[in-house]
Amino acid sequence: MSTQDTELQSVRRPFAWGRFLRRNGGIVALVVLLAFNILVTPNFLQLQTLFVNISQVATIAIVAMGMTLVIATAGIDLSVGAIMALAGALAPLIFMSEFGQLYPSLGIAAAVVVPLIAALACGLFNGVMIATLKVQPIIATLILFISGRGIAQVLTNGNLQTFSNPAFSYLGTGKILGLPFQGWLAIAIACILYLVMTRTTFGRYVLAIGGNERAAELSGGPVKRVKIGVYMICGVLAGLAGLIVVAINSASDAARNGNLMELDAIAAAVVGGALLQGGRAPIFGAILGAVIIQLVKYTLLANGVEDEVALIVKAIIILAAVYVQQSRKE
């Protein structure tokens, strides 16, 4: 067969829709969701709707980016919701304390820094359990999943903390160039993590550990330190998301802050292209996944579907994303 005949056959070959959907499923899903909402959902194109969705998606995206790094090492973190609750409980306790009242500026600074340090310590605990003590990630993070929210409720005596503090609330209600502050914050974090993953040795080791941890260890890589660092980053990002949620609501509810966030974060990371067996860390893909997860939730609620149904849909989304990942290997 001549080269010309081969070229003609390749031109006539039908478009491979299955391959296209496997490679661009997230973008296709986003376009479908946007089109459906524009046509069906009332007031979807209003600015207020945009602001609400950005506010909600930013917290999912921030946690999902940390989860993406963890999944890139073939791990998982079930404690992100509990870390959110703990950080969110600490902040009002600090700036509403006597110290916070006497020194408002220092109180606000401490109300941001101390919860993030606590979140960092939670990530360190997870990392040491997994990297040093060789506990399975799902078991190690389950410890904080159970105890972290309990600690937060003990700190607040199980009470709802309400407050009025414009300086702290700026985290959740402030705007830059007319768009919510937390949206810009999520983009800034994504840019930083993208550079870390693509331009630093740390990022290369993260992917190497997920691809083949034993090989990375035999090559002399700092496997333990990298894995601990990944869980610390995930913890800090979860703590930051917890502060944002509290700032949005001007209230801290340890029982509800971050509830089921681990499901949203894992779903967003997987939909965004992270492989559950490790080796990939699509940072901006995590943002795309977070947007899809938030739009699914908003679409259902805005059209009168119960919130419980959204949980089933999220589970189906994770199942579909895993199926796509498996089909890519074939």
Side-chain angles (χ1 to χ4, degrees), residues 216-247:
E217 193 169 9
L218 290 174
S219 67
V223 173
K224 290 183 180 180
R225 292 201 300 273
V226 170
K227 290 182 78 171
I228 291 172
V230 162
Y231 281 92
M232 290 173 69
I233 292 171
C234 187
V236 168
L237 293 180
L240 178 60
L243 296 180
I244 291 173
V245 171
V246 169

Side-chain angles (χ1 to χ4, degrees), residues 76-93:
I76 203 77
D77 191 344
L78 300 181
S79 67
V80 289
I83 294 174
M84 286 178 64
L86 180 59
L90 283 172
L93 289 176

Side-chain angles (χ1 to χ4, degrees), residues 244-327:
I244 291 173
V245 171
V246 169
I248 290 173
N249 299 324
S250 291
S252 175
D253 185 352
R256 296 183 61 84
N257 187 2
N259 188 35
L260 297 180
M261 177 56 79
E262 45 281 327
L263 173 61
D264 286 345
I266 293 170
V270 173
V271 170
L275 298 177
L276 291 174
Q277 51 274 49
R280 289 189 62 192
I283 300 300
F284 289 102
I287 293 182
L288 173 64
V291 171
I292 291 172
I293 295 300
Q294 170 58 26
L295 275 180
V296 167
K297 185 191 304 183
Y298 176 83
T299 301
L300 294 173
L301 294 179
N303 289 280
V305 180
E306 291 80 0
D307 193 32
E308 290 76 10
V309 178
L311 299 177
I312 300 174
V313 174
K314 289 176 193 175
I316 294 173
I317 290 173
I318 296 175
L319 181 63
V322 172
Y323 171 77
V324 169
Q325 289 183 6
Q326 295 300 320
S327 62

Side-chain angles (χ1 to χ4, degrees), residues 3 36 55 72 85 182 187 201 219 254 271 287-288:
T3 304
F36 177 85
S55 297
Q182 63 266 38
I187 293 173
T201 305
S219 67
V271 170
I287 293 182
L288 173 64

Side-chain angles (χ1 to χ4, degrees), residues 19-75:
R19 182 183 301 174
F20 175 80
L21 289 175
R22 285 196 296 269
R23 292 183 176 180
N24 304 280
I27 296 175
V28 172
L30 178 60
V31 171
V32 170
L33 280 169
L34 289 173
F36 177 85
N37 280 287
I38 290 171
L39 294 174
V40 176
T41 305
N43 305 317
F44 180 73
L45 294 178
Q46 290 188 357
L47 281 178
Q48 185 62 32
T49 301
L50 174 65
F51 292 158
V52 168
N53 279 297
I54 291 177
S55 297
Q56 297 296 325
V57 80
T59 54
I60 300 174
I62 289 171
V63 181
M65 285 185 279
M67 187 69 73
T68 296
L69 297 185
V70 168
I71 291 176
T73 64

Side-chain angles (χ1 to χ4, degrees), residues 83-269:
I83 294 174
M84 286 178 64
L86 180 59
L90 283 172
L93 289 176
I94 294 171
F95 65 69
M96 291 195 301
S97 66
E98 184 177 349
F99 169 80
Q101 298 297 319
L102 288 174
Y103 307 100
S105 298
L106 290 176
I108 292 298
V112 174
V113 173
V114 172
L116 292 183
I117 292 175
L120 185 74
C122 290
L124 176 62
F125 173 82
N126 287 336
V128 169
M129 291 284 289
I130 293 163
T132 304
L133 301 181
K134 303 299 182 181
V135 179
Q136 287 292 326
I138 196 169
I139 301 300
T141 58
L142 188 63
I143 296 171
L144 272 179
F145 171 84
I146 296 170
S147 62
R149 192 174 299 278
I151 295 171
Q153 290 179 300
V154 168
L155 289 173
T156 60
N157 294 318
N159 297 323
L160 174 68
Q161 300 178 91
T162 59
F163 58 86
S164 177
N165 192 314
F168 182 81
S169 294
Y170 185 85
L171 269 175
T173 60
K175 289 184 174 59
I176 297 178
L177 299 178
L179 294 176
F181 169 77
Q182 63 266 38
W184 294 108
L185 184 60
I187 293 173
I189 292 170
C191 292
I192 293 170
L193 290 180
Y194 176 79
L195 291 175
V196 168
M197 293 304 299
T198 57
R199 299 287 189 270
T200 69
T201 305
F202 176 85
R204 288 193 289 272
Y205 275 124
V206 168
L207 300 181
I209 291 170
N212 190 325
E213 182 175 340
R214 182 60 177 163
E217 193 169 9
L218 290 174
S219 67
V223 173
K224 290 183 180 180
R225 292 201 300 273
V226 170
K227 290 182 78 171
I228 291 172
V230 162
Y231 281 92
M232 290 173 69
I233 292 171
C234 187
V236 168
L237 293 180
L240 178 60
L243 296 180
I244 291 173
V245 171
V246 169
I248 290 173
N249 299 324
S250 291
S252 175
D253 185 352
R256 296 183 61 84
N257 187 2
N259 188 35
L260 297 180
M261 177 56 79
E262 45 281 327
L263 173 61
D264 286 345
I266 293 170

